[in-house]
Amino acid sequence: MALLPLLSMVSSFLFLSSMAELPMLEHPLKSDGSLSLLVIGDWGRKGTFNQTLVAAQMGRIGESLDIDFVVSTGDNFYEEGLTGIDDKEFEESFTNIYAAESLQKQWYSVLGNHDYRGDVLAQLSPVLRQIDRRWLCLRSFVLNAEIVDFFFVDTTPFVEHYWDNPKGHHYDWRGVAPRETYISNLVKDLDLALKESPARWKVVVGHHTIRSASVHGDTIELQLLLLPILKENGVDFYVNGHDHCLEHISSNDCPLQFLTSGGGSKAWRGILNSVSDKLEFFYDGQGFMSLQLTKTQAHVVFYDAFGNALHKQAITKQFHSQI
Ligand SMILES: *[C@@H]1O[C@H](CO)[C@@H](O)[C@H](O)[C@H]1NC(C)=O
């Protein structure tokens, strides 16, 4: 069977029947029914711009929280993604940097706009898992962990101006073009997957911002096409990178929280704009985020490059019997 080698390569999780059209993976909870993870974005710079410092603190916090996995919000390799599956930057920016014991867990990654400027198929290739078995990057997928479903969304193709090769940058649209078909299918699949999800917590992960007080600000295409279905389907958190900072914004008209974790390496752009929702926390520097979940509680913490907890948010959900 041609499938067997593939299945053994991905032994730390299971491919289940797909939820709608999105591939679905599964991750077990801890024996006490909880889950904890770190979120990092905008990182791969061969250790420079304090990437190594942030990584060391992720290792320390990851150990104290006994994390189950790591989520990467994209822009995994600067400036132009990977050149191919044999690009040494994979080891130089990932394997050798996130070397701490506690980070030797599964990493679930999406692609950022910089990743699209290289060989995008390389990052999606199972061959990378032979080099470092932690690596898993897919375009869009659902990760189920009983109490929570994570919906990873490939946001780069939404952004219209990338399709005009801005500043002469080439984007690798293999498997994506034409844009309109790709996006309308993705929005439909995501909406269906959200509707079918019985999980208590729903977390959507993408690279681009929906709400941001930093340089890039709101991403208009996501605000128009994604935000309505996140609100309609009771999504708890939208987690992203793209702006190289840490921020927490809460929606004015629904329970949705916007969490930016894009402080994996280069930061400090010195811009703070007003936002149309409520800005709860903003740090224009390097760091990362943790998320701990139980059936009834979510704890979000943002950390700086020294591992100091800068901002904490706890959310409690009352228990309702499942429908
Ligand atoms: C590294 O982090 C320190 C402490 O936050 C900061 O002062 C410094 O500017 C950072 N260096 C770079 C290159 O980002």
Side-chain angles (χ1 to χ4, degrees), residues 48-50 53 265-268 283 286 305-306:
T48 65
F49 292 96
N50 288 339
L53 192 63
S265 58
K266 195 175 183 179
W268 288 286
Y283 176 64
Q286 290 144 347
F306 301 103

Side-chain angles (χ1 to χ4, degrees), residues 73 112-113 155-156 159 162 206-210 219 222 238 240-242:
T73 58
N113 48 305
T155 58
T156 304
V159 180
Y162 297 143
H207 177 65
H208 291 81
T209 55
I210 292 180
T219 305
L222 298 188
Y238 178 72
N240 61 275
H242 197 46

Side-chain angles (χ1 to χ4, degrees), residues 20-310:
E21 297 296 322
L22 299 179
M24 188 166 167
L25 314 178
E26 194 175 66
H27 201 107
L29 296 177
K30 289 191 211 310
S31 51
D32 67 0
S34 70
L35 189 75
S36 76
L37 55 126
L38 299 182
V39 183
I40 182 80
D42 306 82
W43 42 270
R45 296 182 190 271
K46 302 180 181 173
T48 65
F49 292 96
N50 288 339
Q51 188 195 355
T52 306
L53 192 63
V54 175
Q57 293 305 322
M58 286 172 67
R60 196 173 66 82
I61 302 294
E63 188 179 338
S64 71
L65 299 181
D66 185 22
I67 56 160
D68 297 285
F69 56 84
V70 179
V71 165
S72 165
T73 58
D75 276 5
N76 305 319
F77 302 99
Y78 284 98
E79 290 285 333
E80 313 215 300
L82 295 179
T83 56
I85 51 173
D86 54 359
D87 189 340
K88 287 287 166 246
E89 198 190 339
F90 180 67
E91 285 108 308
E92 290 165 358
S93 286
F94 176 60
T95 307
N96 301 346
I97 304 294
Y98 302 103
E101 181 65 33
S102 71
L103 304 180
Q104 307 305 310
K105 306 283 162 62
Q106 187 69 57
W107 282 52
Y108 296 102
S109 305
V110 288
L111 297 164
N113 48 305
H114 282 264
D115 300 311
Y116 266 93
R117 283 160 50 174
D119 176 350
V120 92
L121 301 184
Q123 289 198 49
L124 303 171
S125 169
V127 172
L128 291 189
R129 292 201 277 281
Q130 293 170 335
I131 302 170
D132 190 323
R133 59 193 309 275
R134 294 177 289 173
W135 186 252
L136 181 79
C137 182
L138 300 174
R139 289 199 210 262
S140 298
F141 60 105
V142 182
L143 175 64
N144 166 257
E146 289 181 54
I147 55 172
V148 53
D149 274 334
F150 292 87
F151 303 83
F152 290 80
V153 181
D154 184 21
T155 58
T156 304
F158 282 82
V159 180
E160 236 176 323
H161 79 95
Y162 297 143
W163 291 79
D164 305 327
N165 297 325
K167 299 178 193 149
H169 295 307
H170 170 75
Y171 285 74
D172 183 354
W173 298 122
R174 280 177 294 170
V176 172
R179 175 178 177 266
E180 287 67 28
T181 315
Y182 184 79
I183 291 172
S184 73
N185 285 337
L186 179 47
V187 166
K188 204 169 65 207
D189 291 345
L190 176 66
D191 186 42
L192 197 59
L194 285 166
K195 286 194 164 57
E196 285 175 356
S197 166
R200 298 183 53 77
W201 299 96
K202 293 186 177 82
V203 181
V204 174
V205 179
H207 177 65
H208 291 81
T209 55
I210 292 180
R211 284 277 179 273
S212 175
S214 188
V215 191
H216 293 299
D218 300 353
T219 305
I220 187 80
E221 294 89 343
L222 298 188
Q223 197 182 303
L224 289 172
L225 296 165
L226 278 194
L227 184 56
I229 64 173
L230 304 197
K231 288 189 174 180
E232 187 186 313
N233 291 295
V235 170
D236 301 284
F237 302 108
Y238 178 72
V239 182
N240 61 275
H242 197 46
D243 266 328
H244 298 181
C245 61
L246 306 174
E247 55 187 331
H248 172 202
I249 296 169
S250 60
S251 171
N252 284 333
D253 61 6
C254 73
L256 180 60
Q257 313 284 312
F258 303 96
L259 306 170
T260 299
S261 182
S265 58
K266 195 175 183 179
W268 288 286
R269 298 201 182 173
I271 290 183
L272 176 60
N273 295 313
S274 59
V275 282
S276 53
D277 284 315
K278 182 163 184 253
L279 184 64
E280 308 272 359
F281 163 71
F282 180 80
Y283 176 64
D284 194 13
Q286 290 144 347
F288 58 100
M289 189 190 107
S290 68
L291 175 62
Q292 290 175 279
L293 291 166
T294 67
K295 224 172 193 182
T296 54
Q297 289 251 319
H299 282 272
V300 174
V301 182
F302 287 96
Y303 307 86
D304 67 13
F306 301 103
N308 300 311
L310 302 176

